[in-house]
Amino acid sequence: MKNDFNLCPMCGSKKIENHNNKKWVCPDCGFDLYCNVAAAVGVIISDRQKNVLFEVRAKEPRKGFLAIPGGFVDADEPAEKAVVRECHEELGFDINPDSISFVCTNPNTYEYKKIEYKTCDMFFKADLPSEFDSIDEFIKKLHAEESEVSGFVSVQVATEEDIEKLPLAFNSTRETLKKWIKM
């Protein structure tokens, strides 16, 4: 997909030039628009049996597919705080910030309303809150953010074969789970 703009957003010129989807330049007014990578987070919450909490996406892109809790990092927000905020918003549950630890990063492409966004997805894992023995028990206490999440499922993720069977929304999550099972 190529992100194309027909007009300069500053002067309205039709001469806007696309430089490999990384930069747009207007030769008439000198305006430059850079397409920088966006930061996003995701968190793997699992129990001792390697059952992982997944959300069923309620909106595009990839509506109906599975994702782990997460989202875009806000301006001036540390990634770890974004994990806590996204869990609060999407799960209706406050994850203990001290239980979060870094797993890895992976690039991703997020297409939304015919615009392609390149992201650097930062993945973390978080302990299942101590008051719960299983992900299934945890799910019963969650309150989905209906605009983002249509439901929750628990899936055992112990092997690469388990991962390949999952209808995951994003390849960056698939690659991260492959690293996570080896930790």
Side-chain angles (χ1 to χ4, degrees), residues 17-147:
E17 301 167 354
N18 182 336
H19 295 251
N20 296 319
N21 272 1
K22 294 180 182 180
K23 177 181 174 181
W24 290 264
V25 177
C26 178
D28 289 343
C29 73
F31 175 75
D32 290 340
L33 173 67
Y34 290 89
C35 183
N36 295 318
V37 172
V41 295
V43 61
I44 301 167
I45 302 172
S46 66
D47 61 22
R48 289 189 187 111
Q49 291 73 39
K50 291 207 174 254
N51 294 307
V52 174
L53 170 69
F54 290 98
E55 302 172 340
V56 179
R57 290 184 56 81
K59 69 177 200 173
E60 296 297 343
R62 312 286 286 166
K63 180 179 179 178
F65 284 77
L66 300 181
I68 58 176
F72 288 100
V73 177
D74 288 342
D76 301 320
E77 180 181 46
E80 295 83 357
K81 287 193 178 190
V83 168
V84 173
R85 177 183 51 76
E86 287 289 344
C87 285
H88 176 79
E89 291 173 3
E90 293 181 357
L91 309 178
F93 193 89
D94 292 323
I95 293 292
N96 179 352
D98 295 332
S99 77
I100 298 168
S101 60
F102 180 74
V103 174
C104 67
T105 64
N106 273 302
N108 191 26
T109 300
Y110 188 89
E111 186 182 324
Y112 184 68
K113 294 188 177 184
K114 298 182 182 178
I115 298 290
E116 189 176 87
Y117 299 90
K118 295 295 186 176
T119 65
C120 177
D121 294 351
M122 297 170 273
F123 291 95
F124 297 83
K125 61 182 179 173
D127 297 335
L128 180 66
S130 59
E131 63 265 34
F132 303 101
D133 292 322
S134 70
I135 290 292
D136 290 325
E137 187 181 319
F138 183 49
I139 286 174
K140 293 176 186 175
K141 299 293 183 184
L142 301 180
H143 302 285
E145 180 181 22
E146 293 178 9
S147 64

Side-chain angles (χ1 to χ4, degrees), residues 148-160:
E148 301 277 333
V149 179
S150 64
F152 302 105
V153 295
S154 168
V155 180
Q156 188 174 49
V157 180
T159 67
E160 285 199 25

